[in-house]
Amino acid sequence: EFRNQKKMKRLIETSEIGIFISKAVQEKYRKLYSLKNSVQFYDGFAIDKYYVQHHQILQGNDIKILYVGKFQDSKGTFNLLEMFHKLIRCYKEKKFTLELVGNGAPDYIQKMNFYIKEKHLCDMVTISNFVKDVKKVACQKDILVMNSYNEGFGRVTVEGMLAGCLVLGRFCGGTKEILVHKENGLCFDNDASFMDQMKWIIKNQQSACKIAEQGKEWAKNNFDNRLIAQKFLNVLETIK
């Protein structure tokens, strides 16, 4: 949120051009302000920092799930705990684990911990502090879940792809611009849809691994910061 709404409105509306990191964000600002001109391209990544060359996922009976981000309802954090609980009840023959990495309000984390204890998930769910190096965590997991209800872009989504995880994302906001269902990731709309996708993963692990590999290469080819830097320079050259 802007501290000085009037000042920001003036700055945005008098700018020669606005650059937006996703179509979702661009559409939002087009509705809020009278923009002279705007372009959209995604964030860039230092690929070597995030790319994992050989990451074997979905090997054996264990399925390791990862969530990275702010702990809050808009990010779908508590909802993911609820879906995870349903998951382990439906597939008792599988061994699932969930690690939630990030930070949030103390009362929200307390609510999460209470639910974990109430549903007897202590041996399966871990809450970890925020880490700068997502690669270090993601390279040990099979699936990264992006459950945000209105993600502006989704750096974590791309970081998970580059690390070789199978990304399972809620089909909204910037996430639906990144993921192409069953090509570079998997998408879901609601709790039931999440369960359907997990069922598909369990029954089609080889195909799921192939999708994760395709996602890794797609992210590598589309989010290299050198490519994005050139797009930025191209925009600057249009301004006189």
Side-chain angles (χ1 to χ4, degrees):
E1 294 183 4
F2 301 126
R3 290 185 183 181
N4 189 325
Q5 295 282 353
K6 289 183 178 179
K7 180 180 179 180
M8 288 311 301
K9 184 177 188 297
R10 185 174 69 252
L11 285 171
I12 290 170
E13 294 187 341
T14 57
S15 296
E16 292 295 327
I17 194 164
I19 302 174
F20 297 95
I21 61 170
S22 72
K23 294 181 179 68
V25 174
Q26 184 181 32
E27 186 60 29
K28 174 184 176 180
Y29 276 79
R30 277 177 172 171
K31 291 177 180 178
L32 290 173
Y33 302 103
S34 298
L35 303 174
K36 284 185 179 181
N37 193 13
S38 68
V39 295
Q40 182 272 320
F41 48 81
Y42 300 110
D43 280 346
F45 291 75
I47 299 298
D48 292 344
K49 184 179 177 181
Y50 300 98
Y51 191 82
V52 177
Q53 186 70 41
H54 302 291
H55 181 189
Q56 299 295 318
I57 65 169
L58 301 172
Q59 304 295 307
N61 202 47
D62 295 0
I63 296 181
K64 300 179 284 294
I65 302 171
L66 174 66
Y67 166 94
V68 178
K70 193 80 172 176
F71 300 154
Q72 58 188 39
D73 283 341
S74 64
K75 297 289 187 180
T77 317
F78 195 81
N79 175 246
L80 178 56
L81 280 175
E82 294 173 321
M83 293 193 296
F84 182 79
H85 181 238
K86 291 177 185 176
L87 186 65
I88 63 168
R89 291 177 66 188
C90 287
Y91 299 100
K92 294 182 180 179
E93 72 280 5
K94 285 285 183 181
K95 182 181 178 182
F96 294 98
T97 58
L98 169 63
E99 183 174 4
L100 301 116
V101 178
N103 51 39
D107 58 340
Y108 196 87
I109 296 174
Q110 186 178 25
K111 176 184 172 183
M112 291 165 62
N113 278 315
F114 180 81
Y115 184 85
I116 290 166
K117 291 177 182 177
E118 181 187 38
K119 301 299 182 183
H120 308 289
L121 301 174
C122 295
D123 293 336
M124 291 160 272
V125 178
T126 305
I127 297 177
S128 302
N129 292 328
F130 168 82
V131 294
K132 288 186 177 181
D133 189 0
V134 175
K135 174 181 174 180
K136 190 178 291 186
V137 183
C139 70
Q140 302 172 20
K141 309 298 180 183
D142 300 302
I143 300 169
L144 181 138
V145 177
M146 171 54 72
N147 196 33
S148 176
Y149 291 94
N150 193 24
E151 194 69 15
F153 165 59
R155 283 192 64 89
V156 170
T157 301
V158 179
E159 288 172 6
M161 295 168 85
L162 289 170
C165 292
L166 176 63
V167 177
L168 178 55
R170 186 174 286 274
F171 194 68
C172 58
T175 306
K176 69 179 181 181
E177 298 177 32
I178 299 171
L179 297 182
V180 181
H181 187 57
K182 290 191 175 178
E183 288 190 24
N184 62 9
L186 295 175
C187 302
F188 65 95
D189 295 310
N190 49 43
D191 290 20
S193 178
F194 173 86
M195 294 296 290
D196 288 342
Q197 298 310 315
M198 288 301 304
K199 180 179 179 181
W200 185 87
I201 293 168
I202 291 166
K203 290 188 174 183
N204 302 276
Q205 291 191 190
Q206 190 172 351
S207 296
C209 291
K210 185 178 178 181
I211 291 170
E213 190 64 28
Q214 290 171 178
K216 181 169 70 172
E217 295 309 309
W218 182 84
K220 177 184 176 182
N221 293 331
N222 285 276
F223 294 100
D224 191 312
N225 57 8
R226 291 168 295 185
L227 298 174
I228 306 303
Q230 186 58 56
K231 290 183 179 183
F232 186 74
L233 286 174
N234 293 342
V235 170
L236 293 182
E237 288 173 358
T238 66
I239 302 172
K240 296 179 181 180

